[in-house]
Amino acid sequence: MNRARQKRATIKDVADQCGLALSTVSNALSGTRFVSEETREKVLKAASEVGYRVSYVARSMRTSRTYSLGILVGDIANPFFPEIVRGAEDVASAEGYNLVLCNTDYREDKQKAYIELLRSQQVDGLILASQIPNPAGIIELINDGVPLVLINQHYSGVEADYVGVDNHKGMKEVCDHLWRLGHRRIGFITGRMGSPAAQDRFEGFQQAIEALGGHCDERLVKPGDYSYASGTAAARQMLAMVDRPTAIVGANDLMALGAIEAIEEFGLRAPQDISIIGVDDIFVSAMPWAGLTTLRHPKWTVGATAAQTLISRINNPGNPLSRTIIQPEFIIRSTSGAAKKVA
């Protein structure tokens, strides 16, 4: 039996359904002109009721956009990054954009290859959270007029929209907390060598210790690479010292949790023997078996803000560059306590 083909809903059907002008409906659906949020919601509701579907090909031809954004992260296996990506995706989706995720493994060659791929696909803009030391590729993007936002990575002489966390203020809270608990020998496990965010966190730690009248002992600073295993290895080196630290700060939670493993290997406990503090507040840090004292970075907010900033840049390319600094929150749990007195 033949069935009559159902007529595909048009933008005029949407306009008739919501009682608004065709131009208003078009602007609400395409995002090419400002409409109030109330009007936008009314149009979207009407579009849903009549079964209207946006033609992305037609919209791209009309606006010279693909409505796709790229986001590059250092290591998607690190629990820090998925929450950033989720925040960016939530905002992008709400604004009618698709988000393409690329994992660089902190490698410059992979970042370069992904950027070339994304540009060949004509994405409308990029969010970079890949922590690559060399800014040459970023400078090229800026010179070519590609809209981009940097997350937690800034470079001398590079001017771009930026979203980051106040690592210096955060590290001051961490060190003030340990100092009040009587700790004077405080170890630090750094992030990846060359990472702008890792450097920022370490500088914040150094300045905070010196502001308290202390001294950052180089022997108590050990390299890490943001992985659990590197935290364990770095802590082992510090714990083997005759005058080992009474507290250890990891530049991220994974390394801090790895340091706890090393403490247990030495027959010690946190915080009774050594206090441990991390940075990021990944989901496992709040688990009862971990109870990690940490500096919470509002990761979803960072990603969402980056996406909002990028879309604003795409829509308003002539606006002044923005620099958004988001404040961390110090979370005290069970791995930090009073410094153990030496007999």
Side-chain angles (χ1 to χ4, degrees), residues 5 9 24 29 42 47 51 65 97 112 132 148 160 167 183-185 188 193 195 214 216-217 262 279 310 326:
R5 176 179 290 181
T24 301
L29 292 172
K42 185 176 182 179
R65 297 183 187 176
Y97 285 82
K112 182 179 179 181
I132 303 298
L148 66 91
N167 284 306
H183 297 278
R184 297 298 181 268
R185 290 186 57 75
F188 190 85
M193 183 177 298
S195 160
C216 187
D217 189 339
V279 177
L310 181 58
I326 299 171

Side-chain angles (χ1 to χ4, degrees), residues 86-108:
R86 181 54 190 263
E89 200 277 334
D90 284 349
V91 168
S93 178
E95 294 293 333
Y97 285 82
N98 295 310
L99 189 68
V100 181
L101 170 63
C102 301
N103 180 68
T104 68
D105 290 323
Y106 303 105
R107 286 169 43 190
E108 187 175 351

Side-chain angles (χ1 to χ4, degrees), residues 43-306:
V43 170
L44 291 176
K45 182 174 183 292
S48 176
E49 290 171 348
V50 301
Y52 177 79
R53 296 291 181 268
V54 176
S55 170
Y56 287 98
V57 173
R59 184 171 68 160
S60 295
M61 292 176 65
R62 184 172 63 251
T63 63
S64 299
R65 297 183 187 176
T66 60
Y67 289 87
S68 294
L69 307 175
I71 182 168
L72 285 74
V73 302
D75 179 10
I76 197 60
N78 183 332
F80 173 75
F81 288 109
E83 287 189 55
I84 288 179
V85 174
R86 181 54 190 263
E89 200 277 334
D90 284 349
V91 168
S93 178
E95 294 293 333
Y97 285 82
N98 295 310
L99 189 68
V100 181
L101 170 63
C102 301
N103 180 68
T104 68
D105 290 323
Y106 303 105
R107 286 169 43 190
E108 187 175 351
D109 61 329
K110 287 191 72 173
Q111 172 168 287
K112 182 179 179 181
Y114 277 131
I115 288 175
E116 289 178 355
L117 175 63
L118 292 169
R119 293 190 69 179
S120 72
Q121 295 176 345
Q122 298 182 320
V123 296
D124 295 326
L126 296 171
I127 298 171
L128 301 183
S130 46
Q131 296 297 313
I132 303 298
N134 185 358
I138 296 172
I139 294 172
E140 181 179 345
L141 290 171
I142 294 171
N143 290 340
D144 289 347
V146 176
L148 66 91
V149 176
L150 302 178
I151 290 182
N152 285 330
Q153 56 190 77
H154 47 82
Y155 307 90
S156 177
V158 175
E159 296 184 354
D161 290 313
Y162 173 84
V163 177
V165 176
D166 192 340
N167 284 306
H168 286 238
K169 180 182 178 182
M171 279 300 167
K172 183 179 186 305
E173 290 188 68
V174 168
C175 293
D176 286 351
H177 171 70
L178 290 173
W179 208 261
R180 286 193 298 268
L181 291 172
H183 297 278
R184 297 298 181 268
R185 290 186 57 75
I186 304 172
F188 190 85
I189 306 173
T190 69
R192 295 183 67 88
M193 183 177 298
S195 160
Q199 183 64 27
D200 201 36
R201 293 178 186 187
F202 179 53
E203 287 177 357
F205 172 79
Q206 280 184 305
Q207 291 175 12
I209 292 294
E210 291 170 0
L212 290 165
H215 169 66
C216 187
D217 189 339
E218 292 183 359
R219 296 174 301 164
L220 297 181
V221 178
K222 302 298 180 184
D225 61 10
Y226 289 135
S227 68
Y228 182 97
S230 72
T232 304
R236 284 174 183 150
Q237 295 178 50
M238 285 188 254
L239 295 173
M241 299 170 62
V242 175
D243 50 349
R244 65 190 178 209
T246 61
I248 296 175
V249 178
N252 78 343
D253 282 0
L254 282 178
M255 294 191 297
L257 292 169
I260 292 176
E261 178 178 321
I263 287 172
E264 293 173 350
E265 288 177 358
F266 277 73
L268 304 172
R269 297 173 299 166
Q272 291 87 342
D273 300 301
I274 296 181
S275 288
I276 298 291
I277 296 180
V279 177
D280 289 340
D281 195 30
I282 58 178
F283 71 96
V284 296
S285 300
M287 297 292 183
W289 56 265
L292 183 67
T293 296
T294 185
L295 187 65
R296 174 182 293 163
H297 282 198
K299 299 170 283 299
W300 186 94
T301 300
V302 168
T305 303

